Amino acid sequence: MATIRLVYYSHDSGEMTQSELKNILEQARTNNQKHDICGMLCYDNHYFLQILEGDAAEVTALFLTIAADKRHHSVVIIGVQETEKRIFPHWTMGYAGGSDALLSMMKELGCDKFDPTEMSFIEAATLLHQLSKSQTRL
Ligand code: FAD
């Protein structure tokens, strides 16, 4: 079965607390390890941006579960790509948010705030890859 990389963004259903984010990450890290899925999640300015990498059927099934989660809404897939090599092999789910690194990367993209709605697939995947090197501890 093919390995794919899926990137989506969404809007929170209410400002997330650190402990709510921690709950999501704990669920994600436990489940993703079982299904050999890896990736990165970014949360800031009410937006989530996430990349999921793994077996095509596993990533699709997980994405459908995530998209139905009431903790966020307006879920939009930015892109899906078949790949031979994972770019997040070490992270069952890495996390970044509210960091100086994120703000300076957004400035490079010409934005004052984190806003993934206008990002291309390449911009989003590159941003998440850069953020994986300076993650927020949660
Ligand atoms: P159950 O635990 O049976 O929950 C069913 C539903 O209840 C969930 O879909 C959700 O709507 C709600 N729910 C569950 N826990 C809580 C809670 N603590 N507070 C409020 N509502 C809750 N899961 C992964 O496995 N991998 C990921 O990478 C991943 N990324 C996520 C990214 C985002 C932005 C969000 C919002 C969620 C993410 N999740 C992820 C969580 C995922 O949506 C499911 O909640 C999780 O996979 C458990 O699924 P389940 O069907 O076993 O749910």
Side-chain angles (χ1 to χ4, degrees), residues 58-96:
E58 296 279 11
V59 169
T60 305
L62 174 61
F63 174 72
L64 293 175
T65 301
I66 294 174
D69 196 312
K70 299 274 184 293
R71 289 171 282 189
H72 63 166
H73 61 84
S74 309
V75 180
V76 174
I77 294 178
I78 302 181
V80 183
Q81 186 182 58
E82 201 170 309
T83 177
E84 283 178 9
K85 193 167 176 230
R86 297 180 185 216
I87 51 179
F88 301 91
H90 308 301
W91 309 109
T92 51
M93 193 46 58
Y95 176 73

Short mmCIF file of all heavy atoms in Angstrom, two decimals, residues 58-96:
data_model
loop_
_atom_site.label_atom_id
_atom_site.label_comp_id
_atom_site.label_asym_id
_atom_site.label_seq_id
_atom_site.Cartn_x
_atom_site.Cartn_y
_atom_site.Cartn_z
N GLU A 58 -4.65 3.97 6.32
CA GLU A 58 -4.60 4.37 7.74
C GLU A 58 -4.76 5.88 7.89
O GLU A 58 -5.48 6.36 8.76
CB GLU A 58 -3.25 3.95 8.37
CG GLU A 58 -3.00 2.46 8.41
CD GLU A 58 -3.70 1.78 9.59
OE1 GLU A 58 -4.54 2.40 10.25
OE2 GLU A 58 -3.38 0.60 9.81
N VAL A 59 -4.06 6.63 7.03
CA VAL A 59 -4.13 8.10 7.12
C VAL A 59 -5.55 8.57 6.76
O VAL A 59 -6.11 9.45 7.42
CB VAL A 59 -3.07 8.76 6.20
CG1 VAL A 59 -3.31 10.26 6.06
CG2 VAL A 59 -1.67 8.52 6.75
N THR A 60 -6.15 7.95 5.75
CA THR A 60 -7.51 8.34 5.36
C THR A 60 -8.49 8.08 6.50
O THR A 60 -9.32 8.93 6.83
CB THR A 60 -7.96 7.55 4.10
OG1 THR A 60 -6.98 7.76 3.08
CG2 THR A 60 -9.31 8.02 3.60
N ALA A 61 -8.39 6.89 7.12
CA ALA A 61 -9.29 6.55 8.22
C ALA A 61 -9.10 7.53 9.39
O ALA A 61 -10.08 8.03 9.97
CB ALA A 61 -9.04 5.12 8.68
N LEU A 62 -7.85 7.85 9.71
CA LEU A 62 -7.59 8.78 10.81
C LEU A 62 -8.12 10.16 10.47
O LEU A 62 -8.76 10.82 11.30
CB LEU A 62 -6.09 8.85 11.13
CG LEU A 62 -5.71 9.91 12.17
CD1 LEU A 62 -6.38 9.63 13.52
CD2 LEU A 62 -4.20 9.98 12.37
N PHE A 63 -7.89 10.60 9.24
CA PHE A 63 -8.36 11.93 8.87
C PHE A 63 -9.88 12.04 9.02
O PHE A 63 -10.39 13.06 9.51
CB PHE A 63 -7.94 12.30 7.44
CG PHE A 63 -8.55 13.60 7.02
CD1 PHE A 63 -8.07 14.80 7.55
CD2 PHE A 63 -9.63 13.65 6.14
CE1 PHE A 63 -8.67 16.02 7.23
CE2 PHE A 63 -10.23 14.86 5.82
CZ PHE A 63 -9.74 16.05 6.36
N LEU A 64 -10.61 10.98 8.65
CA LEU A 64 -12.08 11.02 8.77
C LEU A 64 -12.49 11.15 10.24
O LEU A 64 -13.43 11.88 10.57
CB LEU A 64 -12.71 9.78 8.13
CG LEU A 64 -12.56 9.70 6.60
CD1 LEU A 64 -13.09 8.39 6.07
CD2 LEU A 64 -13.26 10.88 5.92
N THR A 65 -11.76 10.46 11.14
CA THR A 65 -12.03 10.59 12.58
C THR A 65 -11.74 12.01 13.05
O THR A 65 -12.55 12.64 13.74
CB THR A 65 -11.14 9.60 13.39
OG1 THR A 65 -11.41 8.29 12.94
CG2 THR A 65 -11.40 9.70 14.88
N ILE A 66 -10.58 12.52 12.66
CA ILE A 66 -10.18 13.87 13.09
C ILE A 66 -11.19 14.91 12.57
O ILE A 66 -11.61 15.81 13.30
CB ILE A 66 -8.75 14.21 12.61
CG1 ILE A 66 -7.71 13.32 13.28
CG2 ILE A 66 -8.43 15.68 12.88
CD1 ILE A 66 -6.29 13.49 12.74
N ALA A 67 -11.58 14.76 11.31
CA ALA A 67 -12.48 15.76 10.70
C ALA A 67 -13.83 15.81 11.41
O ALA A 67 -14.51 16.84 11.40
CB ALA A 67 -12.66 15.46 9.21
N ALA A 68 -14.24 14.67 12.04
CA ALA A 68 -15.54 14.62 12.73
C ALA A 68 -15.43 15.10 14.18
O ALA A 68 -16.44 15.18 14.89
CB ALA A 68 -16.07 13.19 12.69
N ASP A 69 -14.23 15.43 14.62
CA ASP A 69 -13.99 15.83 16.01
C ASP A 69 -14.60 17.22 16.27
O ASP A 69 -14.33 18.17 15.53
CB ASP A 69 -12.47 15.84 16.27
CG ASP A 69 -12.14 15.87 17.75
OD1 ASP A 69 -12.72 16.68 18.49
OD2 ASP A 69 -11.27 15.07 18.16
N LYS A 70 -15.40 17.31 17.33
CA LYS A 70 -16.13 18.57 17.61
C LYS A 70 -15.22 19.67 18.17
O LYS A 70 -15.65 20.80 18.36
CB LYS A 70 -17.25 18.31 18.63
CG LYS A 70 -18.30 17.32 18.17
CD LYS A 70 -19.38 18.04 17.37
CE LYS A 70 -20.52 17.14 16.95
NZ LYS A 70 -20.12 16.12 15.97
N ARG A 71 -13.99 19.33 18.47
CA ARG A 71 -13.09 20.35 19.01
C ARG A 71 -12.61 21.33 17.95
O ARG A 71 -11.96 22.32 18.26
CB ARG A 71 -11.92 19.68 19.72
CG ARG A 71 -12.35 19.01 21.02
CD ARG A 71 -11.26 18.17 21.63
NE ARG A 71 -11.12 16.88 20.97
CZ ARG A 71 -10.36 15.90 21.40
NH1 ARG A 71 -9.65 16.08 22.49
NH2 ARG A 71 -10.28 14.75 20.74
N HIS A 72 -12.91 21.05 16.70
CA HIS A 72 -12.59 22.00 15.64
C HIS A 72 -13.65 21.90 14.55
O HIS A 72 -14.51 21.02 14.57
CB HIS A 72 -11.16 21.78 15.10
CG HIS A 72 -10.93 20.45 14.44
ND1 HIS A 72 -9.82 20.19 13.66
CD2 HIS A 72 -11.66 19.31 14.44
CE1 HIS A 72 -9.88 18.96 13.23
NE2 HIS A 72 -10.98 18.39 13.68
N HIS A 73 -13.59 22.81 13.58
CA HIS A 73 -14.56 22.80 12.48
C HIS A 73 -13.91 23.43 11.24
O HIS A 73 -12.75 23.85 11.29
CB HIS A 73 -15.84 23.57 12.87
CG HIS A 73 -15.60 25.02 13.20
ND1 HIS A 73 -15.53 26.01 12.25
CD2 HIS A 73 -15.35 25.63 14.38
CE1 HIS A 73 -15.29 27.16 12.81
NE2 HIS A 73 -15.16 26.96 14.12
N SER A 74 -14.69 23.52 10.16
CA SER A 74 -14.19 24.10 8.90
C SER A 74 -12.87 23.46 8.48
O SER A 74 -11.88 24.15 8.19
CB SER A 74 -14.00 25.62 9.04
OG SER A 74 -15.17 26.21 9.55
N VAL A 75 -12.87 22.13 8.46
CA VAL A 75 -11.65 21.38 8.12
C VAL A 75 -11.46 21.38 6.60
O VAL A 75 -12.38 21.02 5.86
CB VAL A 75 -11.76 19.93 8.63
CG1 VAL A 75 -10.51 19.13 8.29
CG2 VAL A 75 -12.01 19.90 10.14
N VAL A 76 -10.29 21.82 6.16
CA VAL A 76 -10.01 21.91 4.71
C VAL A 76 -8.71 21.18 4.40
O VAL A 76 -7.67 21.47 5.00
CB VAL A 76 -9.88 23.39 4.27
CG1 VAL A 76 -9.46 23.50 2.81
CG2 VAL A 76 -11.20 24.13 4.48
N ILE A 77 -8.76 20.26 3.47
CA ILE A 77 -7.53 19.57 3.04
C ILE A 77 -6.77 20.50 2.10
O ILE A 77 -7.32 20.97 1.10
CB ILE A 77 -7.85 18.25 2.32
CG1 ILE A 77 -8.48 17.25 3.30
CG2 ILE A 77 -6.59 17.64 1.70
CD1 ILE A 77 -8.87 15.92 2.67
N ILE A 78 -5.51 20.77 2.41
CA ILE A 78 -4.67 21.60 1.53
C ILE A 78 -4.10 20.73 0.41
O ILE A 78 -3.97 21.17 -0.72
CB ILE A 78 -3.52 22.27 2.30
CG1 ILE A 78 -4.06 23.15 3.43
CG2 ILE A 78 -2.65 23.09 1.36
CD1 ILE A 78 -2.98 23.88 4.22
N GLY A 79 -3.75 19.49 0.74
CA GLY A 79 -3.22 18.62 -0.30
C GLY A 79 -2.88 17.23 0.22
O GLY A 79 -2.76 17.03 1.43
N VAL A 80 -2.78 16.31 -0.72
CA VAL A 80 -2.38 14.93 -0.42
C VAL A 80 -1.34 14.55 -1.46
O VAL A 80 -1.50 14.87 -2.64
CB VAL A 80 -3.58 13.96 -0.53
CG1 VAL A 80 -3.15 12.55 -0.13
CG2 VAL A 80 -4.75 14.40 0.31
N GLN A 81 -0.29 13.88 -1.00
CA GLN A 81 0.81 13.56 -1.91
C GLN A 81 1.30 12.14 -1.60
O GLN A 81 1.40 11.78 -0.44
CB GLN A 81 1.92 14.55 -1.59
CG GLN A 81 3.13 14.55 -2.46
CD GLN A 81 4.15 15.58 -1.93
OE1 GLN A 81 4.58 15.50 -0.78
NE2 GLN A 81 4.51 16.53 -2.76
N GLU A 82 1.56 11.38 -2.64
CA GLU A 82 2.16 10.07 -2.42
C GLU A 82 3.65 10.28 -2.22
O GLU A 82 4.24 11.18 -2.82
CB GLU A 82 1.90 9.18 -3.65
CG GLU A 82 2.01 7.73 -3.32
CD GLU A 82 1.52 6.83 -4.45
OE1 GLU A 82 0.40 7.05 -4.95
OE2 GLU A 82 2.29 5.95 -4.83
N THR A 83 4.25 9.51 -1.34
CA THR A 83 5.66 9.72 -1.06
C THR A 83 6.38 8.40 -0.80
O THR A 83 5.75 7.43 -0.37
CB THR A 83 5.84 10.64 0.18
OG1 THR A 83 7.21 10.77 0.46
CG2 THR A 83 5.15 10.08 1.41
N GLU A 84 7.67 8.38 -1.09
CA GLU A 84 8.44 7.17 -0.78
C GLU A 84 9.17 7.33 0.54
O GLU A 84 9.52 6.36 1.19
CB GLU A 84 9.45 6.89 -1.89
CG GLU A 84 8.75 6.27 -3.08
CD GLU A 84 9.65 6.01 -4.25
OE1 GLU A 84 10.88 6.13 -4.12
OE2 GLU A 84 9.09 5.70 -5.32
N LYS A 85 9.39 8.61 0.91
CA LYS A 85 10.17 8.86 2.13
C LYS A 85 9.41 9.81 3.04
O LYS A 85 8.99 10.88 2.61
CB LYS A 85 11.51 9.49 1.72
CG LYS A 85 12.50 9.49 2.82
CD LYS A 85 13.90 9.80 2.33
CE LYS A 85 14.84 9.90 3.51
NZ LYS A 85 15.65 11.09 3.50
N ARG A 86 9.25 9.42 4.30
CA ARG A 86 8.57 10.29 5.27
C ARG A 86 9.48 11.44 5.67
O ARG A 86 10.68 11.26 5.79
CB ARG A 86 8.20 9.49 6.52
CG ARG A 86 7.21 8.37 6.24
CD ARG A 86 6.91 7.64 7.54
NE ARG A 86 6.06 6.49 7.29
CZ ARG A 86 5.11 6.09 8.12
NH1 ARG A 86 4.91 6.72 9.25
NH2 ARG A 86 4.38 5.05 7.84
N ILE A 87 8.87 12.63 5.91
CA ILE A 87 9.71 13.73 6.39
C ILE A 87 9.59 13.92 7.91
O ILE A 87 10.29 14.71 8.50
CB ILE A 87 9.48 15.07 5.64
CG1 ILE A 87 8.02 15.44 5.59
CG2 ILE A 87 10.09 15.04 4.27
CD1 ILE A 87 7.77 16.78 4.88
N PHE A 88 8.66 13.17 8.54
CA PHE A 88 8.49 13.26 10.00
C PHE A 88 8.62 11.88 10.66
O PHE A 88 7.79 11.53 11.51
CB PHE A 88 7.12 13.86 10.34
CG PHE A 88 6.92 15.23 9.77
CD1 PHE A 88 6.35 15.38 8.52
CD2 PHE A 88 7.34 16.35 10.46
CE1 PHE A 88 6.18 16.65 7.98
CE2 PHE A 88 7.18 17.62 9.92
CZ PHE A 88 6.60 17.77 8.67
N PRO A 89 9.63 11.08 10.30
CA PRO A 89 9.64 9.69 10.79
C PRO A 89 9.77 9.58 12.30
O PRO A 89 9.38 8.58 12.87
CB PRO A 89 10.87 9.08 10.09
CG PRO A 89 11.74 10.23 9.76
CD PRO A 89 10.83 11.39 9.50
N HIS A 90 10.29 10.64 12.94
CA HIS A 90 10.56 10.53 14.38
C HIS A 90 9.41 11.01 15.26
O HIS A 90 9.49 10.93 16.48
CB HIS A 90 11.82 11.33 14.75
CG HIS A 90 12.99 10.97 13.89
ND1 HIS A 90 13.48 9.70 13.84
CD2 HIS A 90 13.72 11.71 13.02
CE1 HIS A 90 14.49 9.66 12.98
NE2 HIS A 90 14.65 10.87 12.48
N TRP A 91 8.34 11.53 14.65
CA TRP A 91 7.29 12.14 15.46
C TRP A 91 5.95 11.45 15.27
O TRP A 91 5.34 11.57 14.23
CB TRP A 91 7.14 13.64 15.11
CG TRP A 91 8.45 14.34 15.15
CD1 TRP A 91 9.16 14.81 14.08
CD2 TRP A 91 9.23 14.62 16.30
NE1 TRP A 91 10.32 15.38 14.51
CE2 TRP A 91 10.40 15.27 15.87
CE3 TRP A 91 9.05 14.39 17.67
CZ2 TRP A 91 11.39 15.69 16.76
CZ3 TRP A 91 10.04 14.80 18.55
CH2 TRP A 91 11.19 15.45 18.09
N THR A 92 5.46 10.72 16.31
CA THR A 92 4.11 10.16 16.24
C THR A 92 3.13 11.33 16.16
O THR A 92 2.11 11.22 15.50
CB THR A 92 3.79 9.29 17.47
OG1 THR A 92 4.08 10.03 18.65
CG2 THR A 92 4.58 8.00 17.45
N MET A 93 3.45 12.42 16.80
CA MET A 93 2.80 13.72 16.56
C MET A 93 3.59 14.79 17.28
O MET A 93 3.52 14.95 18.50
CB MET A 93 1.33 13.72 17.03
CG MET A 93 0.53 14.93 16.52
SD MET A 93 0.77 15.32 14.75
CE MET A 93 0.28 13.80 13.95
N GLY A 94 4.37 15.53 16.50
CA GLY A 94 5.11 16.65 17.06
C GLY A 94 4.15 17.82 17.26
O GLY A 94 3.03 17.82 16.72
N TYR A 95 4.59 18.83 18.00
CA TYR A 95 3.71 19.98 18.24
C TYR A 95 4.49 21.29 18.27
O TYR A 95 5.59 21.37 18.81
CB TYR A 95 2.96 19.82 19.57
CG TYR A 95 2.13 21.04 19.88
CD1 TYR A 95 0.97 21.30 19.16
CD2 TYR A 95 2.54 21.98 20.83
CE1 TYR A 95 0.23 22.45 19.38
CE2 TYR A 95 1.80 23.13 21.06
CZ TYR A 95 0.64 23.35 20.33
OH TYR A 95 -0.08 24.48 20.54
N ALA A 96 3.88 22.31 17.69
CA ALA A 96 4.43 23.66 17.79
C ALA A 96 3.27 24.64 17.83
O ALA A 96 2.24 24.42 17.20
CB ALA A 96 5.31 23.96 16.59
#
